[in-house]
Amino acid sequence: MPKTEHDSSTFQQVTKPGFISIDYVIKAMVCLLTASAIVLVATIHYFFEILDNRAAKEVGERVSLAFNIEKKYKKSQLIEYSYWDETYNNVFSEKDEQWIEWNSGQYVLDNFDYDFSLALRHGYEVISLTTSEQAQNLKAQMLLDSDLVTMVSLSRAREDVTKVVSSFMLLGNDLYFVVGAPLINEELETPRLGTYLAFGKKISPAYLESLSNEYQIKGLTYNTSIIAGQHHLKIRSLKGEILGGLSWKIKNSSQELLPAVGLIITSFFLSIIVASWSLLTREQRDKEAYLNKLYMEATRDALTDAFNRKYFLDIASLELRNSRIQNRFYTLAILDIDHFKQVNDKYGHIIGDQALVFFSNLCQSELRKTDIFGRVGGEEFAIAFTNTSEDEAQQILERIRTKVMTSSLQLENDTLQFTVSSGVATLTKQTSLRELLRQADNALYEAKDSGRNKVCCYQFDLANAVEC
């Protein structure tokens, strides 16, 4: 910008009324930075709240997952016993108390971490009841007065073979998880009528603590009532009644970290902005790289780097529709490596894969940017030529055929050569890509049947294929 000379009196008259004091500038900067810091802290607090909500949701899903895994595990244990004919013979037929204690009674409690094992006949007659020290107060009548009868009825109504039903039950003042099923005839795989076996686990503080440690859930507890403000999972009976809820603690990052973050922002505001900008830029760059990777995996053949079949058909169909609307040439070709099975049989699939990559590179070296090249089968490839006549496509395919025929793949102790056959179909009155593919495929078969290593074109008017 050119320098200009100012009259000193005029300069003083103009600048003096507009003079801004240093104190005013400092106050303005402090106010601006303070306001910006408050906005940033509020924004960070908002994002912390989002993270806390996500963390709370994740822990809730982990609680559900933990009990689903426990449920599945306990069901599988019960099914093992229900399919065991010895259980039927010794528990229901002979009522062998020693066998029951060693196999389905105390043995189950000691080795599978249950608190009671119950065998019923006809849904109400107790054959055996074994309880752990934690469930000493549990009596047979308490079980019969609970939802156990409903569980037996639901098992009968199930259409699957095992007829396993599980649920939470409130027995006295204690919550139990109970799984039950009738015994199954091993040979016929049909339920043994009038039999029922149930295992129960008391939801005790010790059990919840073990789940907390195993699934990393902090402060997992059971309460008979739902406490407002706590993260919880409602526990329901078979009849849908609420038996209480499981609650757990969530680490609130906003309450623990926000004061420290506010202090850091106040002291190093500008540095945080620069660091945030750097991190966001890197995150965006990584995201773009990841999305590009996903795009390549979704559209490219992993071996040859040609378009995969689905993407080729999608884009080829789109170009076919555009060519019909704009009345342009459109030609489709299918290429198949001759005697490729012999290559795999002789050299193995690893060399066969190398041959496919070698062939794909040869083809793409002769294609234009507007040509669409894809792998549509094992050794079968396709090319969609947009705005290209049959003669022009035939010339390109001849160049590919000649290049493939005269090129060789150098192996460790050998040289591999092969040829390619091609079938060509040009858009005339076809209404779909499928029809055009069928005609190009017919032309390919003609090339194969007439000696291979050639290019054949489908003649729409004659409804047959001839060598181009």
Side-chain angles (χ1 to χ4, degrees):
M1 182 180 294
K3 293 183 179 180
T4 57
E5 294 183 358
H6 299 276
D7 177 76
S8 59
S9 60
T10 304
F11 183 73
Q12 290 176 1
Q13 291 175 1
V14 172
T15 56
K16 187 174 182 179
F19 176 80
I20 301 176
S21 68
I22 297 297
D23 291 339
Y24 182 82
V25 173
I26 292 176
K27 289 180 181 179
M29 291 180 61
V30 169
C31 290
L32 180 61
L33 290 176
T34 301
S36 300
I38 292 173
V39 171
L40 185 56
V41 169
T43 302
I44 291 177
H45 180 268
Y46 169 75
F47 282 110
F48 270 136
E49 288 291 335
I50 293 178
L51 292 176
D52 289 343
N53 292 335
R54 288 182 179 177
K57 182 180 179 181
E58 179 185 346
V59 175
E61 292 173 349
R62 202 181 304 156
V63 173
S64 299
L65 176 63
F67 276 91
N68 286 335
I69 292 175
E70 291 290 307
K71 181 190 299 184
K72 184 176 180 181
Y73 177 61
K74 294 188 182 304
K75 280 184 176 181
S76 66
Q77 292 171 338
L78 180 67
I79 290 173
E80 288 184 18
Y81 274 87
S82 67
Y83 267 88
W84 195 11
D85 284 345
E86 287 193 29
T87 305
Y88 175 76
N89 295 331
N90 290 282
V91 177
F92 290 90
S93 295
E94 301 177 9
K95 200 175 180 181
D96 187 333
E97 295 183 0
Q98 186 175 17
W99 189 95
I100 292 173
E101 181 178 359
W102 288 356
N103 293 274
S104 66
Q106 192 63 42
Y107 178 84
V108 170
L109 273 54
D110 294 340
N111 291 274
F112 298 120
D113 194 27
Y114 285 102
D115 289 298
F116 75 79
S117 171
L118 173 71
L120 290 176
R121 179 183 283 125
H122 303 303
Y124 56 86
E125 180 184 351
V126 177
I127 301 298
S128 70
L129 172 62
T130 307
T131 60
S132 68
E133 292 184 4
Q134 289 192 88
Q136 288 181 349
N137 297 328
L138 191 61
K139 304 301 179 184
Q141 192 60 43
M142 292 174 61
L143 288 164
L144 295 176
D145 293 339
S146 68
D147 287 343
L148 190 62
V149 176
T150 303
M151 176 178 284
V152 174
S153 300
L154 290 176
S155 289
R156 291 172 181 170
R158 290 183 66 89
E159 296 182 357
D160 57 325
V161 176
T162 60
K163 298 185 178 296
V164 179
V165 175
S166 63
S167 177
F168 289 97
M169 294 185 186
L170 197 59
L171 303 175
N173 295 323
D174 299 318
L175 181 70
Y176 286 79
F177 177 75
V178 183
V179 57
L183 299 187
I184 306 296
N185 188 304
E186 284 188 82
E187 181 178 356
L188 302 178
E189 290 196 351
T190 56
R192 295 185 183 272
L193 298 179
T195 65
Y196 205 77
L197 190 63
F199 296 157
K201 175 62 184 176
K202 183 178 179 180
I203 309 301
S204 63
Y207 175 63
L208 293 177
E209 183 179 359
S210 67
L211 290 181
S212 297
N213 296 332
E214 183 174 356
Y215 294 97
Q216 298 181 351
I217 304 168
K218 184 179 180 181
L220 184 61
T221 56
Y222 165 70
N223 300 289
T224 55
S225 59
I226 305 297
I227 302 176
Q230 283 190 347
H231 301 281
H232 63 268
L233 177 67
K234 292 180 181 179
I235 301 296
R236 296 181 182 272
S237 67
L238 284 172
K239 298 177 182 178
E241 301 170 345
I242 297 178
L243 305 178
L246 295 169
S247 61
W248 55 90
K249 296 180 181 179
I250 299 296
K251 181 180 180 181
N252 291 317
S253 300
S254 57
Q255 297 180 3
E256 295 181 5
L257 300 178
L258 192 61
V261 171
L263 179 61
I264 293 173
I265 289 175
T266 303
S267 303
F268 306 102
F269 183 77
L270 294 178
S271 299
I272 292 175
I273 292 295
V274 173
S276 300
W277 177 84
S278 177
L279 290 173
L280 290 174
T281 302
R282 187 176 66 180
E283 176 70 16
Q284 182 64 24
R285 183 170 62 250
D286 292 344
K287 181 180 179 181
E288 291 176 356
Y290 177 67
L291 291 176
N292 184 62
K293 179 176 178 291
L294 290 180
Y295 171 78
M296 294 298 292
E297 291 176 351
T299 60
R300 295 283 180 174
D301 176 60
L303 178 64
T304 63
D305 198 39
F307 289 138
N308 59 33
R309 177 183 178 85
K310 182 182 183 304
Y311 187 72
F312 173 83
L313 294 178
D314 289 344
I315 196 170
S317 298
L318 178 62
E319 289 297 334
L320 173 64
R321 184 166 64 250
N322 292 338
S323 296
R324 289 183 60 85
I325 293 173
Q326 300 174 17
N327 196 26
R328 296 183 308 182
F329 287 117
Y330 184 86
T331 304
L332 186 71
I334 299 180
L335 299 81
D336 190 88
I337 300 175
D338 296 327
H339 302 298
F340 186 74
K341 185 177 182 300
Q342 297 177 10
V343 175
N344 278 332
D345 292 343
K346 181 178 180 181
Y347 296 99
H349 288 283
I350 294 179
I351 299 301
D353 288 347
Q354 294 180 18
L356 289 173
V357 175
F358 180 69
F359 173 75
S360 176
N361 292 337
L362 291 177
C363 291
Q364 295 188 65
S365 67
E366 294 295 330
L367 296 177
R368 305 162 299 181
K369 292 183 178 180
T370 56
D371 300 330
I372 305 167
F373 179 68
R375 183 184 179 192
V376 294
E379 68 274 14
E380 196 172 84
F381 294 79
I383 306 172
F385 298 98
T386 59
N387 201 23
T388 303
S389 66
E390 183 181 278
D391 291 339
E392 292 173 320
Q394 186 265 336
Q395 293 174 12
I396 298 174
L397 292 169
E398 277 294 335
R399 290 201 303 269
I400 291 175
R401 185 190 66 81
T402 302
K403 190 165 189 177
V404 171
M405 181 179 62
T406 57
S407 300
S408 58
L409 175 61
Q410 297 298 322
L411 305 178
E412 186 174 354
N413 297 314
D414 200 355
T415 299
L416 175 61
Q417 285 187 298
F418 50 83
T419 59
V420 61
S421 299
S422 305
V424 184
T426 302
L427 177 64
T428 52
K429 298 179 181 180
Q430 299 90 333
T431 58
S432 67
L433 181 67
R434 178 181 298 179
E435 185 177 359
L436 205 61
L437 280 169
R438 179 181 57 79
Q439 294 171 359
D441 203 42
N442 289 340
L444 174 63
Y445 278 113
E446 175 62 26
K448 293 284 188 181
D449 293 341
S450 60
R452 292 183 170 82
N453 191 24
K454 59 178 63 178
V455 180
C456 285
C457 299
Y458 184 85
Q459 301 297 315
F460 186 82
D461 296 336
L462 302 178
N464 62 4
V466 296
E467 186 172 355
C468 299

